[in-house]
Amino acid sequence: MRSIVGNVVGWLDDRLGLRSAMLPILVHPVPRGLGWFYVFGSATLSMFVLQIITGICLAVVYVPSAADAYTSLEYLNTEQPLGWLLRAVHYWSATGMVVMLVCHATRVVLMGAFKYPRELTWLLGVGLLFVTLGLAFTGQVLRWDQDAYWGVGVGAAMTGRVPVIGPALVHVLLGGPNIGGETLSRFFGLHVFVLPALAILLLVPHLYLVVRQGISSRPRAGRPVDPQTYDAEYSKELAEGEPFFPYDFMKDALFSACCVLVVFALAISFGPKGPSGPPDPTLIAAEPRPDWYFLPLFALLALSPPQMETAIMLVMPVVGIAILVLLPFVAGKGERSPRRRPATVLIVLLFFAVYGVLWWLGNVAPWSPDMNAWSGTPVPEQMVKDLSPQQLQGAAVFQNKTCRNCHALDGAGGKRGPDLTTVSTRLVRDELIRQVIQGGGNMPAYGKQLSPAEVEALVSFLSTLGKPVAGAPEPADVAAGK
Amino acid sequence: MTTTEHSQAPADAAPADPHRRRVLGWLSVVLGALSTVAAGVPILGYLLSPVLRTPTNEWIDLGPVEDFPEKQTRLVDFVDPLHRPWDGDSQRLAAYVRRAGPDVFQVFSVNCTHLGCPVSWFPQSGLFLCPCHGGVYYEDGSHASGPPPRGLYVLENRVANGRLSIRAGRLPTLQQPG
């Protein structure tokens, strides 16, 4: 038996030559003391493999037709055995892939691993980063629900701002004059064929270069990269190095296994994402939100000054790509250690701080009106206690005229405008009247929407907000000085 | 043939006719270019067909004008005249119809002019609110507050034989609002 197996293996190896081709790669020497910071790249790859496998599985049930995609997603979630789990794993390993890719890129930037002679490895990695983000966006569209429909609309609106060719680009993106069947098919084609193929086309030379140029050693302060001497120094390090297999390989394998386990744990705990409401554009009450990766962009587009917005949408990505592409050519030499590159460390920290703050803001979205507050969130009881009939009328106007959608009382309601719990401590009667009638500071003018009597009543109600009521405890906000 | 024999073969072979080789070289370049163009042009034309074949908005009947009370704004839905047979729910479109006077209609696309999200109409306050980035429009479609760079997109309308029609179908964007 053993000899038969041995013969088969021997025959295969004779024809394929795998042992002579692969063994040197497995045991190629790597510098000593790499530690655990070098595992993120292979973890990204593991997530990508998981994406491909679960993606193929989903594609054999999912129907990429605008008429049936939504039903097939519901079928996957509820009827197809383990369909919910595969959808969930596909979603969470997409998240894992983006997270691991960002960790990997951050490690490479902080340790200066993009410097000589690994510039091309970095460029291919930058390409992989954008392909991955493209996969994330197109995948979100395949979840053909309300968020997907309006998400494509947002993509089209941004594309439509490109000078001159904007409208043509919109129609190429949508595959027609409006969002519909051909839009979904285009995004399906991109997500399932074009982008994965592109990812593999970039990944193969990326990995080839990892082996050919070798893994960068741990950076040490005071040992700058000099292209004149680097190769000799690196050869010396390799001569004293250890084979990649088994120990460094095992670190990669162990970390990847942990990532897969975490993805499955998240998938089982939280399940698949969506689909949200059906992709019916006549359901106006939709409140579309992008997947988490793009929340900072969502926030940025709410907060940027309108006159700069088109520039931010169109120029910022170009500048971002240019910075990443030029990085190894501008900073291809010199110190690698983050201890000697404070500017790089600061820029990285700043990037994550900005991303984190925008992400949090995108989650909270204080600029979005609370569409149901006018009818669903009543004026707190203590605020209407002991009010005169006119003031009560004002409180009713405040609710009916949907002021609540943008203005909170006691923290409840829209956050678009300021919380009016204590507004009378900030604005006097005349100022309130002016603000209501003329608007300003991002508030619409209500002059045409309110009768003089309604304005009078509203302002008399607002003038009570923040005034200590006789016998009632002062609102906590006043004590806090808000 | 073993590897050694193979590598020696060209040295032993009679020298090829240099003219024939040059013709062969040129021919492969020319035919290669031709075949690339022959295959590439229809592929590009296919992919870019949404631009090459630009459908214009079409007239859609929205019903008798009596359906739209004066001084009111109503949400209407209709089937996109440019839809594909397999569009499903996404073949439907919506618009706001405002009857400002006896014969004066204004029809707005539901798409916010900022980034295309669907705006909601609040008759109580006479405002359109966008759920995405908080764009606000007055009842006549003009910009009230928030990030939108202009008022709501206005769709062409006409009243004939007591019925209201609008021209719609294309997704309105800043540079192609109609």
Side-chain angles (χ1 to χ4, degrees):
Chain A
M1 185 64 194
R2 178 175 283 197
S3 66
I4 294 174
V5 173
N7 282 341
V8 171
V9 169
W11 180 84
L12 277 175
D13 192 54
D14 180 64
R15 297 303 190 268
L16 292 168
L18 276 186
R19 198 176 314 185
S20 56
M22 298 308 287
L23 205 62
I25 294 176
L26 267 185
V27 299
H28 78 280
V30 293
R32 275 182 196 278
L34 288 183
W36 284 89
F37 285 114
Y38 286 68
V39 295
F40 300 121
S42 60
T44 313
L45 178 59
S46 302
M47 293 290 104
F48 182 51
V49 171
L50 195 54
Q51 286 293 89
I52 290 177
I53 295 169
T54 52
I56 291 171
C57 290
L58 291 174
V60 301
V61 175
Y62 176 77
V63 182
S65 135
D68 299 317
Y70 189 80
T71 322
S72 72
L73 287 165
E74 286 187 320
Y75 180 88
L76 273 165
N77 272 4
T78 55
E79 303 276 334
Q80 166 72 31
L82 297 175
W84 68 273
L85 183 61
L86 286 202
R87 279 203 67 225
V89 170
H90 197 70
Y91 173 75
W92 287 103
S93 58
T95 290
M97 187 171 162
V98 173
V99 171
M100 286 304 131
L101 184 46
V102 169
C103 289
H104 178 54
T106 307
R107 201 277 297 167
V108 166
V109 169
L110 286 179
M111 292 192 174
F114 57 84
K115 291 179 189 246
Y116 176 91
R118 300 181 180 85
E119 303 93 334
L120 196 53
T121 325
W122 166 262
L123 288 186
L124 291 161
V126 171
L128 283 163
L129 173 68
F130 285 100
V131 168
T132 304
L133 292 178
L135 281 162
F137 183 73
T138 52
Q140 169 186 310
V141 174
L142 298 198
R143 198 193 305 127
W144 195 239
D145 57 7
Q146 254 173 3
D147 285 348
Y149 184 93
W150 298 109
V152 172
V154 170
M158 286 169 73
T159 311
R161 294 194 182 211
V162 175
V164 188
I165 56 165
L169 282 179
V170 169
H171 294 142
V172 171
L173 180 80
L174 299 182
N178 215 321
I179 303 164
E182 281 188 52
T183 315
L184 177 59
S185 299
R186 278 193 178 222
F187 278 88
F188 184 78
L190 282 173
H191 187 76
V192 172
F193 300 110
V194 178
L195 291 173
L198 210 54
I200 291 168
L201 272 178
L202 293 169
L203 186 59
V204 168
H206 186 76
L207 293 177
Y208 168 76
L209 283 173
V210 168
V211 176
R212 177 174 154 76
Q213 300 296 350
I215 293 167
S216 67
S217 50
R218 281 287 279 273
R220 266 157 291 183
R223 289 199 42 193
V225 173
D226 176 0
Q228 305 291 326
T229 57
Y230 181 85
D231 292 332
E233 283 169 24
Y234 187 67
S235 311
K236 222 173 105 199
E237 274 182 297
L238 285 192
E240 295 159 7
E242 56 182 4
F244 174 66
F245 189 86
Y247 293 113
D248 288 283
F249 174 84
M250 278 176 187
K251 275 185 212 152
D252 282 343
L254 188 89
F255 186 72
S256 283
C258 289
C259 287
V260 172
L261 287 174
V262 168
V263 162
F264 269 81
L266 288 168
I268 290 167
S269 310
F270 297 101
K273 184 171 166 77
S276 65
D280 182 341
T282 65
L283 302 175
I284 290 297
E287 290 192 23
R289 290 288 180 270
D291 278 2
W292 70 266
Y293 338 90
F294 302 114
L295 276 175
L297 186 64
F298 170 67
L300 190 65
L301 294 176
L303 299 172
S304 50
Q307 62 274 19
M308 281 173 63
E309 203 166 53
T310 302
I312 287 177
M313 275 177 219
L314 305 177
V315 179
M316 199 185 67
V318 177
V319 172
I321 292 172
I323 289 173
L324 291 176
V325 166
L326 292 177
L327 180 65
F329 303 106
V330 173
K333 290 185 277 187
E335 287 283 349
R336 284 185 53 216
S337 169
R339 291 168 199 279
R340 297 284 171 92
R341 292 158 61 229
T344 305
V345 176
L346 272 176
I347 290 169
V348 169
L349 285 177
L350 191 68
F351 171 81
F352 281 105
V354 169
Y355 187 93
V357 168
L358 286 176
W359 186 85
W360 177 75
L361 283 170
N363 247 328
V364 183
W367 52 80
S368 293
D370 179 345
M371 298 296 215
N372 301 315
W374 69 281
S375 57
T377 314
V379 177
E381 212 177 308
Q382 79 273 10
M383 291 188 179
V384 287
K385 236 183 205 170
D386 304 324
L387 290 192
S388 73
Q390 191 195 35
Q391 289 162 345
L392 282 173
Q393 167 71 13
V397 169
F398 189 70
Q399 289 297 112
N400 284 338
K401 294 295 174 181
T402 64
C403 307
R404 238 9 227 297
N405 289 14
C406 293
H407 291 289
L409 289 179
D410 231 4
K415 307 278 187 290
R416 179 101 181 92
D419 188 317
L420 298 182
T421 312
T422 60
V423 68
S424 77
T425 62
R426 300 193 297 270
L427 298 177
V428 299
R429 199 186 119 82
D430 287 352
E431 289 171 316
L432 284 168
I433 293 174
R434 195 211 62 79
Q435 184 64 29
V436 168
I437 291 178
Q438 293 182 12
N442 227 355
M443 172 171 158
Y446 277 79
K448 284 190 206 152
Q449 325 294 343
L450 299 171
S451 68
E454 285 174 322
V455 174
E456 192 62 40
L458 179 60
V459 168
S460 70
F461 166 65
L462 292 174
S463 301
T464 67
L465 297 177
K467 292 255 160 65
V469 182
E474 214 167 282
D477 281 350
V478 176
K482 279 186 190 170
Chain B
M1 191 195 283
T2 67
T3 327
T4 342
E5 280 169 346
H6 184 76
S7 61
Q8 284 172 352
D12 297 341
D17 178 356
H19 179 68
R20 276 183 60 176
R21 291 213 156 174
R22 210 177 308 129
V23 170
L24 187 70
W26 276 110
L27 212 58
S28 69
V29 168
V30 171
L31 282 181
L34 258 178
S35 64
T36 307
V37 171
V41 167
I43 288 173
L44 278 179
Y46 178 90
L47 289 173
L48 299 179
S49 63
V51 179
L52 305 175
R53 175 196 62 178
T54 45
T56 47
N57 285 341
E58 287 180 17
W59 286 103
I60 304 147
D61 177 47
L62 290 184
V65 288
E66 297 86 66
D67 286 0
F68 304 97
E70 252 180 74
K71 305 282 177 211
Q72 284 195 25
T73 300
R74 292 205 158 171
L75 182 70
V76 292
D77 58 78
F78 50 91
V79 171
D80 180 355
L82 310 174
H83 81 278
R84 305 283 185 272
W86 60 93
D87 273 359
D89 279 346
S90 59
Q91 70 175 348
R92 285 145 61 84
L93 289 177
Y96 287 106
V97 176
R98 172 181 184 238
R99 191 171 183 181
D103 296 315
V104 187
F105 284 89
Q106 271 189 306
V107 183
F108 306 116
S109 159
V110 296
N111 297 100
C112 182
T113 57
H114 180 225
L115 286 170
C117 289
V119 296
S120 286
W121 166 243
F122 287 88
Q124 304 83 0
S125 50
L127 295 172
F128 295 96
L129 299 184
C130 179
C132 286
H133 299 113
V136 184
Y137 306 85
Y138 292 117
E139 61 184 345
D140 64 355
S142 58
H143 172 253
S145 74
R150 51 158 285 172
L152 287 173
Y153 298 121
V154 177
L155 302 177
E156 211 180 320
N157 74 80
R158 70 171 178 213
V159 177
N161 304 323
R163 295 182 75 85
L164 175 69
S165 306
I166 60 166
R167 273 185 82 175
R170 246 183 353 213
L171 181 74
T173 50
L174 275 183
Q175 291 180 74
Q176 201 174 53

